Every structure is written in structure tokens, then in C-alpha cells.
Amino acid sequence: QKEVEQDPGPLSVPEGAIVSLNCTYSNSAFQYFMWYRQYSRKGPELLMYTYSSGNKEDGRFTAQVDKSSKYISLFIRDSQPSDSATYLCASWNSGGSNYKLTFGKGTLLTVNP
Amino acid sequence: GAVVSQHPSRVICKSGTSVKIECRSLDFQATTMFWYRQFPKQSLMLMATSNEGSKATYEQGVEKDKFLINHASLTLSTLTVTSAHPEDSSFYICSARDRADTQYFGPGTRLTVL
């Protein structure tokens, strides 16, 4: 079992829809959780960074972590065509001696005008 | 936000030549830099982790003699693909970790080996 699982999609939604992107993880030691957005042929861009359980909101984006179920979510409200990209979840454990992000496979999102 | 640059953004070379890719953190000092490889429609694959002034730590299956990493300063790391072959063609992305343990990625370098 991979440490971070993510449905690769593709996911296609109409403009204005609420998008829900999800990941699950297996390593209980993970404490930090990130969402990156990657446009085609570009490097990933950090969107959200959360620690432990809870919600974090930034504009139209909300990141949610539920450590009891090992579930990570990213919600996008009022989705726009410019949100079309691949979204990668990532986690790491600060207690380990080797800092290394573990990535999901990424979900390809298309927002149709 | 923090900015990481990569140069060149795209390179085409002949088989057997060596190619150097630079990664710079422009507005922060990076405690650690990372090199990833990404094939089309696949996720990032970590190749190696490098700390300034010390040898890079390579992931299993990555040839250290083929992918030479030099971390000369807290803002610069280089990846040299030695004796490149067509199977080395890929998208190479570096990232840098700042003192708050946030990792920022460069824009990537597309390598095509003919």
C-alpha cells in the first residue's frame, strides 16, 4: 500500500462548481499536509499547508485534515477554468530524521467554461 | 511567496553529452534542496536530497554517477546528467526547503536527448 493514495481522476466540472479533491494516507506519523497545484509543463505551486487535524481556508480554497480517518481534502469553491490543473497532496513527518515529502499521484481537474 | 528558479527551462542535447541544470532559491536560504523527475502524466519521483556542503543522498535505483549533484551554497544546487541517453529525457524539477520546513518548487527543466 502506498503511503499516500490519491484518485488520479480525471475530474471534469462546470465553471462555478464546488470541487472536492481527496487523499488518504497510511503513515500515522504524518503531521504536515500540503496541497500543490501543477499546471501542464510547470513545476508544482504550493497552495495550502496545514499541520495536524483541522481546517484551513484561503480565499476559494479550503484544506481539511482528519487524522482519525487519515483523510486529506481540498475544496475549491466557485471553480474557474484557470483552476484546471493537476492537484497533488503531500505529507511528511517532522519526527523522522529524514525530511521527505510523500506525494499522491495527483488528480487532473478540468473546469469547463 | 518564496521563489525557486531553474535554468535552463528547456534543453535538447545529443546522446552522450552531459547537461547541467541549475536550481536557485532567489529570496531565501534553502537548508535542503531536492531533485525530482517526472514522466508525462505521472507524479513526482524523488531522485536525491542535497544539503549544502555535504554529499547528496540518492533514492534507491538512482545512479549517483549518472546524476551528479552539487550543492555549492545555501541558494544554489546543480544537477548534471552525465553521458545522457534518450531514456534520460524527462522533466526535471528541483525544490528548496526553507527554515520553516516549507518546500517550494522550481518551474522545471525539460530535457530531450536525441
Side-chain angles (χ1 to χ4, degrees):
Chain A
Q1 180 192 12
K2 291 181 74 69
E3 284 194 298
V4 177
E5 299 271 7
Q6 184 175 9
D7 185 343
L11 181 61
S12 182
V13 302
E15 184 175 354
I18 296 174
V19 176
S20 172
L21 302 166
N22 307 293
C23 292
T24 59
Y25 64 95
S26 58
N27 189 339
S28 300
F30 283 154
Q31 297 171 294
Y32 295 86
F33 304 92
M34 278 134 289
W35 283 96
Y36 286 87
R37 176 175 63 195
Q38 186 177 23
Y39 291 112
S40 182
R41 297 172 183 261
K42 300 288 184 185
E45 168 196 10
L46 180 65
L47 273 181
M48 303 287 282
Y49 188 167
T50 56
Y51 170 72
S52 194
S53 281
N55 293 357
K56 186 173 183 179
E57 191 173 316
D58 184 2
R60 296 184 294 111
F61 298 89
T62 300
Q64 200 172 74
V65 177
D66 183 346
K67 291 199 75 180
S68 63
S69 59
K70 296 190 179 68
Y71 206 75
I72 314 163
S73 300
L74 178 70
F75 299 96
I76 306 174
R77 290 183 298 281
D78 187 25
S79 57
Q80 303 294 310
S82 59
D83 295 328
S84 299
T86 295
Y87 290 80
L88 297 149
C89 61
S91 302
W92 69 283
N93 165 29
S94 68
S97 58
N98 187 20
Y99 166 93
K100 188 163 70 173
L101 280 183
T102 302
F103 283 92
K105 282 192 172 183
T107 299
L108 177 61
L109 170 68
T110 301
V111 181
N112 301 300
Chain B
V3 179
V4 175
S5 71
Q6 263 183 259
H7 178 79
S9 59
R10 190 166 186 169
V11 58
I12 302 172
C13 68
K14 291 182 179 179
S15 185
T17 59
S18 293
V19 175
K20 181 187 280 190
I21 303 170
E22 284 189 356
C23 177
R24 292 181 186 273
S25 55
L26 297 185
D27 50 2
F28 67 99
Q29 292 187 327
T31 55
T32 310
M33 286 185 165
F34 306 86
W35 287 96
Y36 293 83
R37 187 172 179 176
Q38 188 175 36
F39 290 106
K41 298 187 179 181
Q42 293 191 24
S43 191
L44 302 163
M45 185 190 83
L46 179 65
M47 298 174 67
T49 302
S50 76
N51 294 293
E52 184 258 344
S54 61
K55 287 185 179 180
T57 302
Y58 290 81
E59 294 299 302
Q60 196 172 16
V62 177
E63 297 176 61
K64 58 182 69 176
D65 293 331
K66 181 158 189 65
F67 299 100
L68 300 178
I69 292 172
N70 182 269
H71 197 148
S73 73
L74 284 171
T75 59
L76 173 64
S77 177
T78 59
L79 167 69
T80 301
V81 183
T82 61
S83 186
H85 290 283
E87 58 266 29
D88 298 323
S89 298
S90 189
F91 193 49
Y92 292 88
I93 311 173
C94 73
S95 70
R97 171 191 178 193
D98 69 6
R99 296 189 191 280
D101 291 330
T102 303
Q103 200 173 142
Y104 298 95
F105 285 84
T109 296
R110 184 157 304 281
L111 171 64
T112 303
V113 185
L114 302 175

